[in-house]
Amino acid sequence: MPSTVQGLLVLIVGALPGFVFVLARRRRFPAMPESLLREATQVVAASLLACLASGAVLSVAGWVGVPAPHVRAWILEPRLYLADNLGLLAVWTTTGLLLAVVGAAAAGRYLPSPRGRIRPSSAWWDSFQREPDTCGAAATFVRCHLNNGSYVAGTLESFTSQEIPGHPRELVLEAPLTFRPSWDEKEVPMEGNRIIVDAERIMFTQVGYMIEDPRRAHRSRRTEPDAAC
């Protein structure tokens, strides 16, 4: 750990690209909470790669004629060179940091997620966000089978993207809403515009992607949705 204020400041600034990368990645690909060691490793690795890439861009800029610091003189006489070239160093340091942060944010946002049967992302996010976006669905139909034998169904409005310890996950369904009680096989319409479903009550869910959004038609009854993908 740094023992001075300057050392702490350098640590925070140096780790900033990694923090931005991890935040951008979590925003696009929500996943289960990871250990502090793994998150710290991701931050350090992302910061290092972003700073190296930024340094490479600045090196090319200096090579093509843009006024640049003299690295050898800076290393041999750091205090003297800093005093004589403070403005130039400030501009290049700020530019390098901005390039690293912007590059880390772009990488976290646009790099594809890992493919395969085992994924670190949330199954809810994959089913409710990634797949509808991939196939261009207009709406997502969700039928939640509850632990008392009944089920509720509706059009997905929102959901908790990742699990937070101590806070149950929820999803919100919009009208048209239907309900089937545990003692009956007949599905009946529900009143209201929205219903909030607690994840702890759900046994399993059925998900369908629709070509047309049923909320626009204001129907009182739902039929099985047409598949969009």
Side-chain angles (χ1 to χ4, degrees), residues 26-150:
R26 291 288 182 270
R27 187 176 183 84
R28 187 182 179 193
F29 304 112
M32 295 292 293
E34 298 177 338
S35 65
L36 292 177
L37 178 60
R38 184 168 182 175
E39 288 191 350
T41 302
Q42 292 177 349
V43 169
V44 171
S47 294
L48 179 60
L49 292 175
C51 290
L52 288 176
S54 174
V57 172
L58 294 180
S59 297
V60 173
W63 181 74
V64 298
V66 178
H70 195 287
V71 179
R72 181 180 177 84
W74 191 5
I75 295 176
L76 294 177
E77 297 289 343
R79 293 185 178 181
L80 181 61
Y81 189 84
L82 179 61
D84 294 339
N85 302 273
L86 181 60
L88 180 63
L89 290 174
V91 170
W92 274 73
T93 302
T94 303
T95 303
L97 179 61
L98 288 176
L99 286 175
V101 170
V102 171
R109 176 66 179 85
Y110 295 108
L111 284 178
S113 64
R115 305 296 295 182
R117 296 187 177 183
I118 300 178
R119 298 178 184 174
S121 59
S122 165
W124 276 31
W125 186 90
D126 284 339
S127 300
F128 299 152
Q129 185 70 43
R130 186 178 64 84
E131 292 296 339
D133 289 346
T134 300
C135 69
T140 301
F141 167 81
V142 179
R143 179 181 289 138
C144 300
H145 292 259
L146 308 179
N147 54 13
N148 64 354
S150 63

Side-chain angles (χ1 to χ4, degrees), residues 178-209:
T178 55
F179 171 71
R180 193 211 67 185
S182 58
W183 61 85
D184 196 353
E185 296 183 357
K186 184 179 180 180
E187 187 180 75
V188 296
M190 294 183 64
E191 296 183 355
N193 295 322
R194 294 183 178 181
I195 184 172
I196 301 174
V197 185
D198 189 341
E200 295 182 351
R201 298 284 310 278
I202 300 174
M203 297 294 293
F204 65 93
T205 60
Q206 293 174 279
V207 183
Y209 307 115

